[in-house]
Amino acid sequence: MPIRIGVFGYGTIGKRIADAILKFSDEFELVGVLKPTPDYEADIAVRKGLKVYTYPERVNDFEKAGIPVAGTVDELLERIDLAIDATPAKVGKEMKVKYYQPRGRPAVFQGGEKADVADVSFSALANYESARGVRYVRVVSCNTTGICRLLSALKLHGLKIRRARIFLVRRGADPKEHKRGPINDIVPDPVTVPSHHGPDVKTVIPDIDIVTMAVAVPVTIMHMHLVNIELEETVTRQDVIRILEETPRIMLVPEGRRMDSLAQLIEWARDVGRYRGDIMENCIFEGSLTVYDGREIYLMMGIHQESIVIPENIDAVRAMFNLADKWTSIERTDKGLGLITSGKRYGL
Ligand code: NAD
């Protein structure tokens, strides 16, 4: 019997999770999505054939807007084995207390929640096994997911990390967010050091020495991370390239193809037919990869904030329901979602 899943919140992340669930119909059934407002995203969900649920006091609004409702939030909760929460940051905690916990439903949360919303903060390459059989799991944020994958790649290949110092150039808003900025500024985000990303990485990889700083810029397409990692032992640049090539969900953007920017990466994703132009892999610019004195790695890495956490949401469900071991799950997810797996450079 497939695991019956409800997606609570159908925005940037929720709609992508819903689409991903549909790709694994032998394992998961998407029972429906919860939307509080009869907006264009709710309309698209219905047009895609999804069942849309809402709060009892909102049913009339949906009827007036001509968007059919499959039931109320309580009915959705009755029909599922698991809730995937993709409501806005901090709302997930309220949903847990008001709905998931009283109804005895396990739940996956997103990175906008604090770590204490769940028993485990999750990033598949780093700690898949720790989510096995667990009731509440938080898939960490887009930036934290990207950092965890990179650090895990090195650790899984036996390298000891002395310290990581990462500078994040964050997109100011998602493409659909017409009221957010900045539009002509570079904003310390936050001005304090460390930014929350370093401590957040530690919720997944506790033993790491990491400091992060962040600014927000007038861009919507992706984040860029400027990374400096110091190792205990010496490596060559070629060693690091091999490690990154061998790691799932990491894509090396090659030199010499004139793919020299985040805009070109998004254009590549659209040209090769990635749905919505999504790039769920870490995009590491090979030309930026430099090793000083054998121990210090420098690189630049693009992170597509709207989609990078989707594979981890699928893995989290498999781990919680003990459906597969780590590497089987990662391979199955990546194949199902059409990701670049190990050993390839941008899919050519
Ligand atoms: P979003 O605003 O695009 O979508 C939120 C959805 O939840 C909308 O459909 C909205 O209608 C719905 N919603 C609002 N209040 C609700 C409620 N009380 N009950 C049910 N649904 C409700 O937000 P998002 O960007 O998809 O973010 C969702 C979560 O994912 C947050 O925790 C966020 O921090 C995290 N996240 C976002 C990104 C990103 O870049 N957008 C990346 C990684 C993680």
Side-chain angles (χ1 to χ4, degrees):
M1 283 282 283
I3 308 290
R4 298 169 304 164
I5 302 176
V7 175
F8 292 69
Y10 188 77
T12 301
I13 300 298
K15 67 177 101 164
R16 287 171 169 82
I17 293 172
D19 287 340
I21 291 168
L22 293 173
K23 295 204 183 284
F24 302 94
S25 54
D26 50 335
E27 297 175 277
F28 312 130
E29 179 194 340
L30 179 62
V31 176
V33 302
L34 180 74
K35 274 291 290 179
T37 36
D39 59 11
Y40 72 98
E41 287 174 322
D43 185 37
I44 291 167
V46 170
R47 286 173 195 276
K48 280 184 154 191
L50 306 187
K51 294 206 161 38
V52 175
Y53 292 74
T54 193
Y55 296 103
E57 65 276 17
R58 298 293 174 93
V59 172
N60 276 346
D61 298 343
F62 275 73
E63 276 169 7
K64 268 191 224 148
I67 298 178
V69 171
T72 62
V73 60
D74 284 319
E75 287 167 322
L76 179 56
L77 283 159
E78 267 167 31
R79 294 170 189 168
I80 59 173
D81 304 308
L82 170 82
I84 301 190
D85 184 277
T87 59
K90 315 279 188 296
V91 177
K93 178 80 179 268
E94 294 166 21
M95 297 294 287
K96 179 182 176 184
V97 174
K98 198 164 171 192
Y99 295 107
Y100 312 143
Q101 240 171 359
R103 290 308 189 107
R105 295 290 177 261
V108 176
F109 297 94
Q110 308 305 314
E113 303 306 315
K114 290 200 172 137
D116 67 5
V117 77
D119 308 309
V120 169
S121 288
F122 181 80
S123 183
L125 280 170
N127 67 347
Y128 180 94
E129 300 298 336
S130 63
R132 283 223 168 189
V134 165
R135 249 186 126 55
Y136 298 112
V137 170
R138 178 181 74 120
V139 171
V140 288
S141 74
C142 47
N143 285 307
T144 305
T145 295
I147 296 170
C148 287
R149 284 185 190 167
L150 175 62
L151 298 176
S152 298
L154 302 174
K155 283 167 74 85
L156 287 165
H157 282 79
L159 295 178
K160 291 201 178 62
I161 297 168
R162 182 174 291 167
R163 56 185 205 174
R165 302 290 181 254
I166 303 183
F167 306 93
L168 291 83
V169 183
R170 304 175 68 181
R171 58 90 177 102
D174 285 341
K176 74 173 183 185
E177 291 176 313
H178 63 294
K179 290 183 180 166
R180 280 184 65 179
I183 57 169
N184 182 26
D185 206 349
I186 297 179
V187 184
D189 186 27
V191 73
T192 47
V193 179
S195 65
H196 69 272
H197 308 93
D200 202 33
V201 169
K202 281 167 164 287
T203 66
V204 180
I205 310 175
D207 59 346
I208 194 83
D209 174 351
I210 182 167
V211 178
T212 51
M213 293 172 75
V215 293
V217 296
V219 158
T220 63
I221 50 176
M222 290 176 82
H223 304 294
M224 178 80 96
H225 293 189
L226 311 180
V227 177
N228 167 226
I229 295 171
E230 202 179 321
L231 302 173
E232 296 286 357
E233 56 262 88
T234 58
V235 289
T236 64
R237 180 173 186 269
Q238 206 46 45
D239 292 334
V240 182
I241 288 177
R242 183 181 54 79
I243 288 169
L244 298 177
E245 282 179 342
E246 284 175 5
T247 306
R249 301 181 187 170
I250 290 188
M251 166 164 109
L252 273 173
V253 182
E255 298 171 272
R257 300 273 180 147
R258 302 204 175 175
M259 267 169 90
D260 300 327
S261 77
L262 298 180
Q264 287 168 324
L265 272 175
I266 293 290
E267 188 69 358
W268 164 81
R270 299 191 322 190
D271 285 347
V272 298
R274 295 269 183 123
Y275 187 46
R276 297 193 177 94
D278 284 351
I279 310 178
M280 301 186 199
E281 299 91 340
N282 291 27
C283 302
I284 297 179
F285 288 91
E286 189 177 358
S288 70
L289 182 55
T290 304
V291 176
Y292 278 114
D293 296 333
R295 287 181 207 276
E296 261 197 87
I297 301 170
Y298 288 85
L299 59 85
M300 297 184 199
M301 173 167 83
I303 300 292
H304 187 236
Q305 75 281 355
E306 297 176 281
S307 66
I308 188 175
V309 298
I310 305 308
E312 274 70 9
N313 271 273
I314 298 296
D315 291 331
V317 181
R318 285 210 196 87
M320 292 166 78
F321 285 84
N322 278 311
L323 297 182
D325 64 50
K326 171 178 173 173
W327 294 110
T328 305
S329 179
I330 288 175
E331 196 181 339
R332 214 183 272 169
T333 303
D334 291 1
K335 206 168 160 203
L337 297 179
L339 297 200
I340 290 171
T341 45
S342 51
K344 290 192 189 156
R345 293 181 191 199
Y346 81 101
L348 292 181

